[in-house]
């Protein structure tokens, strides 16, 4: 029965090839747009997620505070109020997994005939833990390097490329601001940060080395900022409070006075960014869904025309024994076939379009099985939904009225 | 009366006090007045009448395509007024074979598919459908055209295909509404010969509507309608004055 109905539906579609094609086109464009937009949205989301992961998880950044000088308030970091010992104290707090003080600065690097200017971070070995950063080769420096302020360095991938090319940098000596430093290790690649900076364009040295030998420091032991990692996302609010209290105590700030530091929850900020991209990709999908809806209305429109046009045929079929259900099924099947085939072509086109976007813009796109399944089931539902009304209209015709229809 | 005797004499069509009116803007217009007709198995009945006499309406009610306003209709022992629309579809499929003036074949389908169409609604498997359709096409002498389309054969041949389609479910009753209305005299005679053969050899009850006296002459019994009333119901032989053509 279904087999016969299928072949009849096929015949009807074949007899009106152009019309079938145009109806299908609405579906193809709708599904294609949904697949493509979801792919682009997913790509953006994945990119943001990767950036967030590269930053490190459950992260706080503690910036040294502002000061007021002659009524003019300076920005964060204007006064070097944070110290390495602050960082050590923070590490003792419950809920804090790792802490790394950081003293950044810019310096010129030289190796052989090559030179390169980059950001140099003075910090402690735990910086890699806090940032979830791995070593590509070599080894991290140690606490004893920090204590004795040795001239050792870890290089980011971009720096290695610019100074060494294909040469292995481990154990080589480079010059930073004309002083020799031994390269202990090479950092793993991290890619772009959320704000688009190249995180691999960096050099890490012991914090004491940076303070005493590289940049100098107005106040002994001061650092620009401290990074801290909480043990878990749940522990973050309590940890933030504890850090605030501890630092106020250590900095002898009385009640009612402003903090001379600020604690920022980087992970919360990153999550906001992730949510934004999620909303963005939802919106892309929603806009694409509208074209799917329009495609569905196209199917309904054509099926209504088809029912009117074939009223006499319906009459003949009823006269020789088709019941309402048979007629309903026949027209419904036609609508479903159109939407399923249209959907299939649309999926292929959407994937193709996504790949073209990837090629042209370099933006990563991700076509997930989920989005294909979603588009397929929505298309089938659209076919059934919009095919239902015309099919029902056909099935409800009275045989005599249908037969008399000219 | 024993049960076997009852089934043996059960009429194919039994109509009592059948009344039909159409609702128009001007009010109810009666088309058929209190008709009583009984058709026994194996009869060959011609219904004649001038245009507007209600013969097409009567035919549509007989074919379960339309329903009467009042009155009773038993088709093959079943009370048509008591049937659901699905059951009516089933009756049209199993008990009745329809032949129309305009042939009413599906233009897109091959002759074979056209003939096999009623079997689809009976859930017959494709191979058997096509075998039986071919058998019926052979019976009306068109086996070699099984893959042709309706527009590739003549009107007389199309009507033969329509008859094959009517026969494919082995109906008890063939209802033919002006089956020769679109055909020339020679082809009409061929089609009527086919009906006669089906009636006499296979014992199928045939009821046809016509306005041509020579077509009605093929039947055994004549029912003449005028303004929705039966003015004659009897053997064709004694109906000379009722047999003039009404076109």
């Amino acid at each position: 029965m279904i087999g016969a109905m299928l072949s009849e539906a096929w015949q009807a579609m074949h007899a009106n090839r152009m019309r079938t094609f145009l109806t299908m086109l609405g579906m193809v464009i709708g599904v294609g747009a949904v697949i493509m937009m979801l792919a682009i949205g997913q790509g953006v989301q994945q990119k943001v997620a990767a950036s967030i992961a590269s930053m490190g998880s459950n992260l706080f950044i503690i910036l040294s505070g502002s000061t007021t000088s002659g009524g003019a308030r300076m920005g964060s970091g204007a006064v070097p109020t944070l110290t390495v010992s602050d960082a050590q104290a923070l590490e003792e707090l419950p809920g804090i997994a790792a802490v790394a003080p950081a003293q950044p600065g810019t310096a010129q690097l030289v190796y052989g005939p090559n030179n390169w200017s980059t950001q140099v971070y003075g910090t402690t070995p735990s910086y890699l833990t806090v940032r979830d950063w791995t070593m590509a080769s070599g080894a991290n420096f140690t606490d004893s390097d920090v204590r004795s302020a040795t001239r050792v360095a870890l290089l980011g991938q971009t720096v290695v490329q610019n100074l060494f090319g294909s040469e292995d940098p481990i154990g080589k000596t480079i010059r930073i601001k004309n002083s020799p430093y031994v390269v202990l290790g090479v950092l793993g690649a991290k890619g772009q940060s959320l704000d688009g900076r190249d995180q691999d364009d960096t050099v890490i040295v012991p914090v004491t080395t940076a303070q005493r030998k590289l940049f100098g420091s107005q106040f002994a032991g001061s650092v620009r900022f401290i990074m801290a990692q909480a043990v878990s996302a749940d522990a973050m609010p309590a940890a933030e409070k504890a850090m605030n209290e501890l630092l106020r105590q250590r900095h002898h700030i009385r009640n009612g006075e402003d903090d001379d530091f600020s604690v920022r929850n980087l992970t919360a900020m990153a999550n906001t960014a992730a949510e934004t991209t999620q909303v963005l990709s939802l919106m892309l999908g929603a806009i694409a869904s509208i074209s799917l809806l329009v495609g569905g209305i196209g199917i309904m429109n054509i099926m209504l025309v088809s029912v009117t046009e074939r009223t006499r045929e319906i009459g003949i079929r009823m006269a020789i024994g088709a019941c309402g259900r048979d007629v309903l099924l026949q027209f419904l099947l036609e609508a479903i076939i159109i939407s399923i085939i249209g959907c299939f072509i649309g999926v292929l086109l959407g994937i193709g379009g996504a790949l073209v976007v990837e090629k042209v813009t370099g933006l990563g796109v991700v076509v997930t099985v989920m989005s294909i399944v979603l588009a397929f089931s929505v298309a089938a539902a659209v076919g059934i939904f919009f095919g239902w009304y015309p099919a029902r209209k056909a099935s409800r015709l009275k045989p005599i009225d249908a037969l008399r229809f000219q | 009366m024993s049960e076997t005797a009852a089934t043996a004499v059960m009429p194919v069509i039994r109509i009592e006090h059948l009344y039909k009116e159409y609702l128009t803007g001007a009010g109810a217009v009666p088309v058929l007045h209190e008709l009583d007709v009984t058709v026994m198995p194996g009869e060959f009945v011609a219904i004649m009448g001038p245009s507007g006499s209600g013969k097409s309406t009567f035919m549509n009610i007989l074919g379960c395509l339309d329903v009467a306003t009042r009155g009773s209709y038993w088709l093959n022992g079943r009370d048509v007024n008591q049937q659901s629309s699905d059951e009516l579809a089933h009756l049209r499929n199993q008990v009745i074979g329809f032949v129309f003036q305009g042939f009413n074949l599906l233009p897109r389908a091959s002759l074979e598919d056209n003939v096999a169409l009623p079997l689809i609604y009976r859930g017959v498997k494709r191979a058997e459908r096509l075998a039986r359709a071919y058998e019926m096409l052979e019976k009306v002498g068109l086996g070699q055209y099984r893959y042709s389309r309706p527009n590739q054969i003549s009107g007389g041949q199309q009507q033969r295909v329509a008859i094959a389609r009517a026969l494919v479910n082995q109906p008890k009753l063939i209802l033919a509404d002006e089956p020769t209305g679109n055909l020339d005299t020679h082809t009409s005679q061929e089609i009527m010969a086919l009906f006669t053969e089906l009636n006499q050899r296979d014992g199928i009850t045939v009821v046809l509507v016509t306005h041509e006296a020579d077509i009605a002459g093929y039947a055994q019994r004549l029912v003449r309608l005028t303004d929705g009333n039966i003015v004659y119901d009897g053997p064709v032989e004694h109906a000379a004055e009722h047999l003039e053509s009404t076109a």
Side-chain angles (χ1 to χ4, degrees), chain B residues 209-223:
Chain B
V209 162
T210 183
H211 55 255
E212 292 169 77
D214 49 342
I215 296 299
Y218 283 88
Q220 300 147 1
R221 176 178 163 191
L222 176 71
V223 173

Side-chain angles (χ1 to χ4, degrees), chain A residues 17 30-31 41 52 107-108 166 173 177 231 324 334 338 346 368 378:
Chain A
R17 280 181 292 272
V31 171
I52 291 170
Q108 197 73 18
S166 56
T173 303
K177 278 197 174 174
V231 288
E334 218 175 295
I338 288 178
T368 58
V378 167

Side-chain angles (χ1 to χ4, degrees), chain B:
Chain B
M1 233 197 311
S2 74
E3 213 177 309
T4 40
T7 38
V9 297
M10 183 176 70
V12 179
I13 291 169
R14 199 174 116 215
I15 278 173
E16 286 175 4
H17 309 304
L18 187 90
Y19 175 84
K20 173 73 177 177
E21 62 186 18
Y22 284 121
L23 291 173
T24 66
V29 177
V31 183
L32 300 172
H33 299 281
E34 306 286 329
L35 303 187
D36 293 283
V37 179
T38 301
V39 176
M40 299 307 287
E43 279 197 280
F44 192 159
V45 184
I47 299 173
M48 285 190 80
S51 295
S53 62
K55 57 188 193 304
S56 278
T57 302
F58 186 50
M59 201 62 172
N60 288 331
I61 293 173
L62 285 184
C64 304
L65 294 171
D66 203 355
V67 287
T69 311
R70 283 199 303 274
S72 314
Y73 173 23
W74 286 271
L75 174 64
N76 202 30
R78 311 257 302 258
D79 183 352
V80 169
N81 292 338
Q82 301 294 315
Q83 311 292 311
S84 70
S85 69
D86 279 6
E87 286 166 329
L88 287 178
H90 190 74
L91 279 177
R92 289 195 293 268
N93 187 245
Q94 307 276 330
V95 180
I96 303 170
F98 260 108
V99 180
F100 302 93
Q101 179 176 7
F103 320 136
N104 279 347
L105 300 174
L106 298 186
R108 288 193 305 270
S110 68
L111 301 188
E112 191 175 55
D113 284 339
N114 261 292
V115 175
L117 200 57
L119 298 174
I120 287 180
Y121 302 116
R122 227 182 135 182
V124 178
K125 292 254 183 306
R126 181 177 162 81
E128 197 193 332
R129 280 204 308 265
L130 296 183
R132 279 171 68 179
Y134 180 64
E135 189 188 322
M136 289 303 140
L137 277 173
E138 283 279 281
K139 190 167 182 166
V140 298
L142 291 172
Q144 73 269 34
Y145 295 117
R146 61 201 289 200
Y147 302 124
S148 304
R149 312 259 149 184
N151 60 9
Q152 293 167 326
I153 58 175
S154 72
Q157 288 170 323
Q158 288 188 48
Q159 194 60 301
R160 284 169 178 275
V161 174
I163 293 170
R165 182 179 67 187
L167 290 173
V168 77
N169 256 343
Q170 290 149 339
K172 280 209 156 44
L173 171 67
I174 285 191
L175 294 175
D177 190 358
E178 307 252 14
T180 59
N182 288 4
L183 303 175
D184 60 61
T185 315
H186 177 68
T187 320
S188 299
Q189 284 167 358
E190 282 178 10
I191 294 293
M192 289 318 295
L194 184 56
F195 279 126
T196 310
E197 186 194 327
L198 292 172
N199 175 249
Q200 285 175 2
R201 204 188 60 194
D202 302 336
I204 299 173
T205 313
V206 179
V207 176
L208 66 86
V209 162
T210 183
H211 55 255
E212 292 169 77
D214 49 342
I215 296 299
Y218 283 88
Q220 300 147 1
R221 176 178 163 191
L222 176 71
V223 173
R224 192 173 173 91
L225 281 175
T226 302
D227 294 335
N229 292 297
I230 294 176
V231 295
Y232 176 83
D233 184 355
V236 164
E237 298 87 54
H238 308 127
E241 74 274 23
H242 291 293
L243 261 178
E244 75 270 20
S245 296
T246 52

Side-chain angles (χ1 to χ4, degrees), chain A residues 21-326:
Chain A
F21 167 73
L22 289 174
T23 315
M24 224 173 247
L25 198 61
M27 216 58 206
V28 168
I29 291 172
V31 171
V34 168
I35 296 275
M36 204 163 118
M37 290 302 157
L38 285 181
I40 292 171
Q42 285 276 340
V44 172
Q45 248 175 295
Q46 212 167 70
K47 193 176 168 181
V48 169
S51 300
I52 291 170
S54 76
M55 194 180 68
S57 52
N58 309 326
L59 214 56
F60 290 107
I61 184 163
I62 300 130
L63 297 165
S64 55
S66 67
T67 183
T68 307
S69 155
R73 298 177 71 205
M74 303 291 138
S76 282
V79 246
T81 51
L82 294 172
T83 61
V84 174
S85 54
D86 279 339
Q88 283 160 353
L90 287 172
E91 201 151 19
E92 306 299 317
L93 284 174
I96 294 295
V99 176
Q103 180 68 10
T106 307
Q108 197 73 18
L109 276 53
V110 180
Y111 176 75
N114 303 321
N115 72 95
W116 184 249
S117 172
T118 190
Q119 187 90 5
V120 179
Y121 279 88
T123 184
T124 56
S126 57
Y127 185 72
L128 297 193
T129 317
V130 171
R131 296 286 317 274
D132 287 338
W133 214 332
T134 53
M135 302 290 301
S137 59
N140 198 355
F141 57 85
T142 61
D143 286 330
S144 86
D145 289 316
V146 175
R147 275 193 300 275
S148 47
T150 49
R151 292 186 200 266
V152 292
L154 307 176
L155 307 188
Q157 295 280 350
T158 307
V159 175
V160 172
Q161 268 165 37
N162 282 289
L163 285 186
F164 289 90
S166 56
E167 207 180 323
D168 180 16
I170 307 290
K172 304 278 161 42
T173 303
I174 58 169
R175 302 180 81 83
I176 304 177
K177 278 197 174 174
N178 285 327
S179 304
Y181 285 75
V182 176
V183 177
L184 283 186
V186 175
L187 297 163
K190 247 192 189 314
Q192 275 185 14
S193 69
L194 272 180
D195 55 11
R197 273 182 309 109
D198 177 6
Q199 300 181 92
D200 297 323
D201 189 6
T202 192
V203 170
I204 294 174
V205 298
V207 62
T208 42
T209 316
Q211 287 169 330
R212 294 176 208 159
K213 299 176 177 166
L214 199 52
F215 305 126
S217 175
Q218 283 173 279
F219 307 95
S222 81
V223 290
R224 186 79 61 77
F225 61 89
I226 298 171
M227 292 190 111
Q229 186 177 37
V231 288
S232 69
D234 293 336
M236 290 192 82
E240 185 171 354
K241 198 156 169 270
M243 286 193 297
N244 268 310
E245 278 166 12
L246 180 71
L247 287 175
R248 281 179 75 90
Q249 230 170 59
R250 287 179 58 87
H251 294 185
H252 311 294
I253 300 166
R254 283 189 293 274
N255 283 342
E257 263 182 62
D258 282 349
D259 292 343
D260 63 355
F261 60 91
S262 60
V263 176
R264 292 190 190 163
N265 186 333
L266 283 185
T267 302
M269 281 153 66
N271 287 344
T272 309
E275 276 163 27
T276 309
T277 56
Q278 214 164 1
V279 169
L280 181 85
S281 63
L282 256 174
M283 262 177 62
L284 285 177
I287 290 166
S289 305
I290 292 173
S291 54
L292 196 61
L293 187 76
V294 172
I297 293 171
I299 288 184
M300 176 140 101
N301 188 13
I302 286 302
M303 292 309 293
L304 279 172
V305 171
S306 178
V307 166
T308 309
E309 214 178 61
R310 285 153 69 188
T311 302
R312 200 171 163 75
E313 177 195 321
I314 295 165
I316 297 170
R317 288 173 182 277
M318 285 178 158
I320 61 171
C323 59
R325 201 178 45 247
D326 298 324

